[in-house]
Amino acid sequence: MADRREPAPTASHPLRQQARRRTVERPEELAREMPSASIERLPTYLRALGDLAARGVVGTSSTELADLAGVRPAQLRKDLSYLGSLGTRGVGYDVVRLRDQVGAALGDAQELRVAIVGVGNLGHALANYSGLVARGFTVAALLDASAAVVGQTVAGLVVEDVAGLHGIVQARGVSIVVIAVPGDRAQEVCDAVVAAGVREILSFAPCALQVPPGVELRSVDVGSELQILAFHSRVRQER
C-alpha cells in the first residue's frame, strides 16, 4: 500500500509558522492564567523531566511522564497546555525542551533570592539544603531574633538581627522569605515580611497565618502532615 502521509510542512508552511510563534511565547506569561492546582504540579513534572534528561532520554509520551509524576495523562496534558503548544500529537514531548519550558515558568531562568527568618534546627537545615541552589534559589540572608544566634556563621552566611529585615530585603533584592520561627512569633514576623514588600512567603510555623490580598503564602506544618499519615496508618491497621 502506498504511503499516504502528508509531506512535512516547509518553513513557509502556515502550520510551521504557527508552531514557531507558539514556541517563542514566554511560558512564565502563559502560566499567569494557570490554576493553582496545576501550578502545584509543575515542580513534580520538572523533577520527572530532569530525571529523564539525566538518563539520556530524548523524547517522552504524556503517558510515560504522567506515570513518573503520579497523575493521569489527561491531567498532565491539560496542565502543560497552559504553557503553550509543547508536544506533538503521535510523537510526544522533547524532554529537554519541555524541561526548559516548565523550568522557565517556575522561574528557573532567573535568580531568586531567599531570606530565611529563624535559624534554629530547621533554619540550619534549610540554609544548608543543596536543592535550593540546584533549582535556581540563592539564600541571600539568614535572620534571627536571638542574641545567641545573631553573629554566627551558617552555610557561609552571617546570621543577622531580624530587626533589620526591611533594609536587608531591599538591599539584597529578596523576593521570597521562609519563616521558620515558633508559632507564637510567626504572625509578627509575617507582618514584618509583608511590610518589607515581600509578596511570596513560605511558612513552616505550626499555625495559620493571615496575609493581605496579593501576598502568596504557602504553609508546611510537618506535625500536621505526620498526624495525617498516622490517621491513615491507624485506619489501615483496623481493616
Side-chain angles (χ1 to χ4, degrees):
M1 181 178 295
D3 190 345
R4 300 177 60 85
R5 290 178 296 179
E6 292 289 335
T10 64
S12 60
H13 193 283
L15 290 178
R16 177 63 60 83
Q17 293 174 345
Q18 181 182 33
R20 187 183 297 113
R21 285 195 297 271
R22 289 178 175 176
T23 298
V24 299
E25 286 182 306
R26 294 171 61 85
E28 59 268 33
E29 293 177 358
L30 291 167
R32 290 173 184 168
E33 303 302 322
M34 182 179 289
S36 295
S38 296
I39 295 173
E40 291 172 6
R41 287 186 285 268
L42 288 184
T44 302
Y45 300 155
L46 183 60
R47 182 170 60 249
L49 288 162
D51 290 344
L52 289 172
R55 300 205 312 263
V57 177
V58 176
T60 186
S61 66
S62 59
T63 300
E64 179 184 31
L65 185 54
D67 184 57
L68 291 172
V71 301
R72 301 186 311 277
Q75 182 65 71
L76 178 134
R77 290 192 295 270
K78 182 177 181 181
D79 290 342
L80 295 181
S81 71
Y82 290 103
L83 301 181
S85 181
L86 302 177
T88 303
R89 184 180 294 277
V91 177
Y93 300 100
D94 179 295
V95 169
V96 172
R97 176 172 177 264
L98 182 57
R99 180 200 62 189
D100 291 347
Q101 294 288 90
V102 174
L106 289 170
D108 279 5
Q110 58 181 318
E111 181 188 34
L112 296 172
R113 301 178 70 78
V114 178
I116 299 173
V117 181
V119 193
N121 292 333
L122 178 57
H124 270 79
L126 292 171
N128 284 285
Y129 175 46
S130 61
L132 294 178
V133 175
R135 297 189 181 190
F137 298 97
T138 298
V139 178
L142 301 175
L143 304 104
D144 203 281
S146 171
V149 176
V150 172
Q152 292 184 8
T153 298
V154 177
L157 293 173
V158 175
V159 180
E160 300 172 83
D161 195 323
V162 71
L165 173 67
H166 191 285
I168 291 170
V169 164
Q170 299 299 317
R172 300 182 196 171
V174 170
S175 58
I176 300 174
V177 169
V178 177
I179 296 176
V181 302
D184 59 355
R185 293 206 54 235
Q187 187 62 58
E188 175 188 351
V189 170
C190 184
D191 292 343
V193 168
V194 173
V198 175
R199 293 296 176 264
E200 281 75 41
I201 301 171
L202 173 62
S203 172
F204 285 91
C207 61
L209 299 179
Q210 302 299 316
V211 296
V215 175
E216 293 292 333
L217 171 67
R218 302 286 299 174
S219 296
V220 180
D221 184 346
V222 177
S224 294
E225 296 299 327
L226 288 172
Q227 287 178 318
I228 293 170
L229 290 174
F231 171 84
H232 289 295
S233 176
R234 180 178 58 78
V235 170
R236 186 180 303 107
Q237 292 172 4
E238 293 176 354
R239 286 176 182 170

